[in-house]
Amino acid sequence: MKYYGRKALALVLSAILIASTASTAFAQDPVEKDEVVYINLSHDGSVESIYVVNAYDLTEEQPVTDFGNYREVKNLTTTEELSVQDGAISFTAPKGKFYYQGELDSAQIPWLVSVTYQLDGQPISGGELAGKEGHLEMTLSLRQNPDANPVYFDNFAIQATVLLDSERCKNITAPSATLANVGGDKQMSYIVLPGKEKDFTISADVTDFEMDAIQINGIPLTLDIDDPDTTEIKDKIYELKDGAKELDDGAFQLDDGATQLQDGALELKDGAADLYDGTDDLYDGVKDLDEGADKLRSGAGDLKEGADQLKAGFDQLNQSSRELKAGIAATQQQMISALEGSGVPIQLPPTPSDPLDTTYLLQVGMALDKGFDLAIGQIEAAIKQLESGGSSIELAALAPEMTVRVLSAAVSVDEDGSISEEGSEDTSSEGSEGNSGDSSTGEGSEGNSGDSSTGEGSEGNSGDSSTGEGSEGNSGDSSTGEGSEGNSGGNSTGEGSSSGEGQLLPPADEGGNANRPSAPANPSPSFPQHQNELADPGDQLAILQTQLASLKQFKQVNTLCMGTLQYMAGTEQLSTGYTSLYDGILELRSGISELVGGVQELLDGSKELFDGASDLRDGVDELFDGTTELKDGTIELTDGTTELRDQSDEMDSKVDEEIDKMLDEYRGGDFDMVSFVSDKNTQVDSVQFVMKVAEIQIEEEEAPVIQEEVKPSFWQKLVNLFK
């Protein structure tokens, strides 16, 4: 505070002398100025007050308006009062230098200053240090203030000066400080470059301690430093780069070779281990083989004996299967005759050279299955029509004449599943004057159908018997009798008087096709007339239901036959395969004898091979251990050469970058100076910060001095005006 007062007084006196010759002039605002910021800090570095001296250098007198939130302003050059209104300071400045001072109400300085003290290892405040003695340790910390404009921290360098009395302070230690002797004092100076934060520590043994104020100045850093000549060092760097590259390439080639050697040794080691294990297993296996060969030779005889028995069984099975297929073929022929005689079309496969071929019989069974499905569908449709109240004419449209007739054929299913030529109804009853007559000894007359074993069927649509006749009907079908005046006769031993002799199937034409009847395109004209003779629809329904049950029985028999054929097809394939197996068994038996002799020779050779593999494995293990150590060494070598190559690859440019970076810290960068006081002040040429940490002084009691009153002179009176 004393220092600032003396400086202000000198400026005022200079301004008074200059003002006497000043002339009034006016210039355009704004006017360029310099700002010097004085900051008083307490012992710990906290801000106590901030003063700003604004300096102008004018070529003529002119009005000036400056901006700042000042608590108090003072004209340091002239006696003119400064006008302050809403942060604007207005005045008329004379030609030449003009200064005015303002005390800021509040402001954030660019740096946070902290000073801490320890005496004999214990914290102590600066105010308490005056007059103390002991080992003092003082730390000065300079940090960026995040709340302040960063332009000053980034572009201003800091110079801190600490002055210690050499008589009061001994054994002074100040790392990183520039030391100088100033009279009887020791001066320590520190420089902090723009954008940097630093801590400085000073220690000393003190007695009756006092210390002047710590001075901290902040100024823009702009030094004119030429770039150094790096040609020679770069030439050396280029040589280093080339050598590092060659060394790295050679190291990688060495590593590749070591890798290949190690891989080969590993494969050899694995192979030797596998060979050892294999020969060991081989030797053990051959010993087991030798023991098993004797058992195999005795077992081969037992196998041959069993194979002979199994072959005999297959031969007997094939003979029985052929007899069974003959019975199935006969049954199929009966069902074919029944269906074709009823007008149900059947698409049969071509007859092969062997009519008992299993595949052929299966194909016939599938054709029959489709035929039964068609016939069953027709009967079920007729039954549904009658149950819904349909007439006889409608029934004729759904169940053609031939279909109705075959459903009453004298063919029945025995309990064992075979088809016989007996009547499907009770063989002890007699049917007359009805829709249907079916018996073993009676007659069926004046009805649509007569079916018996020993009787006759007359004046009906169909006569079918085993020993009797069918007359005046559309068809006669019997085993031992005749069918007369009908469309067709089919039997085993009798004759058919109208269309053929007694055969299970009609004779083939010249082309080999069977002349089997087919379903008529339209019902016979006479069929409705006969159908109408069945006056009672209930009787018609009963007949159709009986016929439907018979057809379903036939379908089940056909299914049974097809299952049997599929089983026989499997046994035939098994028999065919076993024939080849049997031949192989015979060859195996003869080969086993030769095997037994060779096994003994193999046993002797495997023992020699096992001993050699053991020696090889031990040698390869030692080789692999050596290649592993070599590989580990080449890996470390390549890591080092690669790092050397990478570091030296851009070393020339890095040298320039580091030199430029280092010099830029001293040169300072180009930036636009801004006002510390207010951003409204756009014409600021320079800003300087002067900070002072409070001095530490021993307070002395002074005796009062009685002085005679002296009248002040004119100049003293003038100076007192500004105090």
Side-chain angles (χ1 to χ4, degrees):
M1 289 293 295
K2 299 177 181 178
Y3 171 77
Y4 295 143
R6 291 195 297 270
K7 185 175 181 180
L9 178 59
L11 292 174
V12 169
L13 295 176
S14 300
I16 292 175
L17 295 176
I18 296 172
S20 61
T21 57
S23 60
T24 304
F26 298 92
Q28 296 292 330
D29 288 335
V31 179
E32 192 173 80
K33 71 166 183 172
D34 297 329
E35 293 179 355
V36 180
V37 183
Y38 296 93
I39 305 168
N40 290 322
L41 305 175
S42 63
H43 290 115
D44 61 359
S46 58
V47 177
E48 290 184 342
S49 61
I50 303 175
Y51 296 87
V52 179
V53 175
N54 299 282
Y56 298 85
D57 189 4
L58 305 177
T59 58
E60 56 185 348
E61 182 180 286
Q62 63 185 72
V64 177
T65 299
D66 196 23
F67 299 92
N69 294 321
Y70 295 114
R71 178 187 306 166
E72 181 183 357
V73 295
K74 182 183 296 184
N75 189 337
L76 301 179
T77 305
T78 67
T79 59
E80 179 185 357
E81 291 290 336
L82 304 179
S83 173
V84 180
Q85 185 176 4
D86 296 330
I89 300 91
S90 301
F91 53 89
T92 299
K95 178 181 178 181
K97 301 287 186 179
F98 181 83
Y99 303 90
Y100 85 90
Q101 173 183 300
E103 181 181 355
L104 289 175
D105 189 21
S106 64
Q108 292 290 339
I109 65 175
W111 300 272
L112 297 178
V113 181
S114 172
V115 185
T116 59
Y117 309 89
Q118 283 189 344
L119 185 64
D120 294 330
Q122 297 298 321
I124 188 172
S125 66
E128 297 174 336
L129 269 175
K132 294 291 192 291
E133 65 176 84
H135 182 74
L136 173 66
E137 186 173 296
M138 178 175 55
T139 301
L140 172 64
S141 175
L142 299 173
R143 294 277 185 264
Q144 180 182 11
N145 185 355
D147 297 329
N149 191 337
V151 67
Y152 306 110
F153 179 81
D154 293 336
N155 296 279
F156 278 50
I158 293 296
Q159 180 184 18
T161 302
V162 179
L163 197 64
L164 295 179
D165 188 341
S166 300
E167 293 297 328
R168 299 175 183 270
C169 302
K170 305 292 184 180
N171 302 321
I172 299 173
T173 302
S176 69
T178 301
L179 300 178
N181 293 318
V182 180
D185 297 332
K186 181 72 73 173
Q187 178 178 285
M188 285 144 285
S189 300
Y190 300 92
I191 299 294
V192 181
L193 296 177
K196 302 295 183 180
E197 297 178 335
K198 291 291 185 179
D199 291 338
F200 305 107
T201 300
I202 302 172
S203 62
D205 296 325
V206 300
T207 303
D208 294 332
F209 181 71
E210 285 187 333
M211 182 177 70
D212 290 341
I214 300 175
Q215 299 288 336
I216 303 173
N217 297 320
I219 58 173
L221 182 63
T222 54
L223 301 177
D224 186 12
I225 303 176
D226 295 332
D227 292 336
D229 184 5
T230 60
T231 303
E232 184 176 353
I233 189 173
K234 285 185 177 180
D235 290 340
K236 298 298 181 182
I237 291 173
Y238 295 145
E239 294 178 5
L240 176 62
K241 288 172 57 177
D242 294 340
K245 182 177 180 182
E246 293 178 2
L247 180 61
D248 190 46
D249 292 341
F252 271 97
Q253 291 178 1
L254 179 61
D255 184 64
D256 291 340
T259 300
Q260 294 176 4
L261 180 60
Q262 186 184 40
D263 292 342
L266 179 60
E267 292 179 4
L268 182 59
K269 179 181 178 181
D270 293 340
D274 292 341
L275 178 61
Y276 176 81
D277 294 339
T279 55
D280 187 22
D281 294 341
L282 175 63
Y283 182 61
D284 293 339
V286 171
K287 289 189 292 185
D288 295 338
L289 179 63
D290 184 53
E291 296 175 359
D294 292 334
K295 297 179 182 179
L296 181 62
R297 180 167 50 186
S298 62
D302 297 338
L303 177 63
K304 173 65 170 56
E305 183 179 350
D308 291 338
Q309 295 177 0
L310 184 59
K311 185 175 184 299
F314 271 117
D315 293 340
Q316 184 178 358
L317 178 61
N318 290 336
Q319 182 62 32
S320 300
S321 297
R322 191 163 184 82
E323 294 175 0
L324 180 58
K325 287 194 289 185
I328 292 175
T331 302
Q332 287 180 337
Q333 289 299 325
Q334 292 177 12
M335 289 186 285
I336 291 171
S337 298
L339 285 176
E340 290 185 336
S342 68
V344 176
I346 302 177
Q347 185 68 34
L348 295 173
T351 304
S353 58
D354 181 8
L356 297 182
D357 179 71
T358 305
T359 303
Y360 168 71
L361 294 178
L362 280 171
Q363 293 174 347
V364 172
M366 289 187 288
L368 283 170
D369 194 62
K370 293 181 180 179
F372 283 127
D373 288 341
L374 179 60
I376 289 171
Q378 291 178 345
I379 295 300
E380 288 177 343
I383 291 173
K384 184 177 181 180
Q385 183 64 39
L386 283 174
E387 289 177 345
S388 63
S391 63
S392 299
I393 296 177
E394 292 171 337
L395 177 60
L398 292 172
E401 177 184 356
M402 299 303 290
T403 302
V404 174
R405 188 168 65 244
V406 75
L407 298 178
S408 61
V411 181
S412 64
V413 181
D414 294 339
E415 294 180 356
D416 59 358
S418 63
I419 297 178
S420 64
E421 295 181 2
E422 296 178 359
S424 62
E425 298 295 332
D426 189 355
T427 59
S428 63
S429 63
E430 180 178 0
S432 62
E433 298 180 0
N435 292 334
S436 174
D438 187 359
S439 68
S440 301
T441 59
E443 297 178 355
S445 62
E446 297 180 2
N448 291 332
S449 174
D451 187 1
S452 68
S453 300
T454 59
E456 297 178 356
S458 62
E459 297 180 4
N461 291 333
S462 174
D464 188 359
S465 67
S466 300
T467 59
E469 295 181 344
S471 61
E472 297 181 6
N474 293 330
S475 174
D477 186 3
S478 67
S479 300
T480 58
E482 295 180 300
S484 62
E485 297 181 7
N487 294 331
S488 173
N491 52 56
S492 300
T493 59
E495 298 179 357
S497 61
S498 298
S499 60
E501 297 183 356
Q503 300 176 354
L504 187 60
L505 293 177
D509 56 17
E510 295 179 357
N513 298 319
N515 294 322
R516 301 183 177 95
S518 60
N522 296 308
S524 171
S526 63
F527 179 69
Q529 179 181 359
H530 296 304
Q531 191 76 354
N532 289 334
E533 293 174 3
L534 301 174
D536 188 358
D539 293 339
Q540 297 178 14
L541 181 61
I543 292 171
L544 290 176
Q545 289 174 343
T546 301
Q547 295 166 350
L548 178 61
S550 298
L551 272 177
K552 290 183 177 180
Q553 283 184 325
F554 293 155
K555 179 175 172 65
Q556 293 175 356
V557 171
N558 184 57
T559 302
L560 177 62
C561 291
M562 291 179 65
T564 304
L565 289 170
Q566 291 173 348
Y567 167 75
M568 287 189 290
T571 59
E572 289 172 0
Q573 293 179 356
L574 181 61
S575 177
T576 302
Y578 181 73
T579 301
S580 300
L581 176 63
Y582 181 77
D583 295 338
I585 290 173
L586 297 179
E587 295 180 1
L588 174 64
R589 185 182 181 187
S590 62
I592 287 175
S593 299
E594 298 179 3
L595 175 64
V596 172
V599 166
Q600 185 58 45
E601 296 180 2
L602 180 60
L603 180 64
D604 297 337
S606 62
K607 179 63 171 64
E608 295 179 2
L609 180 61
F610 172 74
D611 293 339
S614 179
D615 295 337
L616 177 62
R617 184 190 62 174
D618 295 339
V620 170
D621 287 344
E622 294 180 3
L623 174 62
F624 178 75
D625 292 340
T627 58
T628 300
E629 293 179 4
L630 176 62
K631 175 62 180 175
D632 293 340
T634 57
I635 290 175
E636 294 181 4
L637 177 62
T638 53
D639 290 343
T641 56
T642 299
E643 183 177 0
L644 175 62
R645 182 174 183 171
D646 293 341
Q647 294 296 330
S648 62
D649 187 43
E650 298 180 356
M651 187 177 292
D652 52 339
S653 59
K654 289 182 179 179
V655 167
D656 289 337
E657 291 176 1
E658 291 299 324
I659 291 175
D660 290 340
K661 182 179 179 181
M662 180 178 63
L663 293 179
D664 286 343
E665 293 182 354
Y666 293 96
R667 289 170 176 163
D670 295 334
F671 69 99
D672 294 331
M673 186 65 68
V674 297
S675 171
F676 175 76
V677 178
S678 173
D679 55 7
K680 295 180 181 180
N681 300 323
T682 57
Q683 294 295 323
V684 177
D685 183 55
S686 68
V687 176
Q688 180 179 350
F689 293 89
V690 178
M691 295 176 281
K692 184 177 69 171
V693 178
E695 60 185 10
I696 299 175
Q697 295 291 334
I698 300 174
E699 296 183 0
E700 296 180 357
E701 295 183 0
E702 296 181 357
V705 178
I706 300 175
Q707 296 181 348
E708 295 181 359
E709 183 178 354
V710 180
K711 294 182 180 179
S713 64
F714 171 79
W715 292 107
Q716 290 175 335
K717 292 180 180 180
L718 181 61
V719 170
N720 291 335
L721 292 175
F722 299 98
K723 290 184 179 180

